[in-house]
Amino acid sequence: MSAFDYGVEAGLFSYKGPKSRPNSLGYKRFACAADAIRFAMENVSSDMLRSCSLEVGDTRYVGAEIRNLYENADYPLIRYANSAE
């Protein structure tokens, strides 16, 4: 597997079902994937994370794959202790 580029643009999506709250994520664009991953891990509940996908170029990462990118030793940003669980 090639190294993940945390510096490229990324989109974060979540499924908005019929009972979704008005302030649910939907779609959010980030200048770099590291920021999108941090947002997903530190601001999104673990239940909602399961329905999130991170799109980087032509590749999509879903749920646990986003968590793996966050926990990877190559992740370039500071991880905060109060991440959404």
Side-chain angles (χ1 to χ4, degrees), residues 13-34:
F13 304 84
S14 73
Y15 170 71
K16 291 178 79 168
K19 294 183 180 183
S20 66
R21 295 178 305 212
N23 63 349
S24 60
L25 178 62
Y27 171 76
K28 194 168 177 80
R29 193 96 188 128
F30 294 85
C32 68

Side-chain angles (χ1 to χ4, degrees), residues 52-82:
C52 282
S53 67
L54 174 73
E55 189 174 291
V56 181
D58 293 333
T59 307
R60 190 168 281 180
Y61 302 87
V62 180
E65 294 171 317
I66 298 170
R67 180 176 303 279
N68 290 340
L69 291 169
Y70 182 75
E71 293 173 349
N72 189 301
D74 293 333
Y75 180 74
L77 304 178
I78 295 170
R79 294 174 192 90
Y80 294 104
N82 293 332

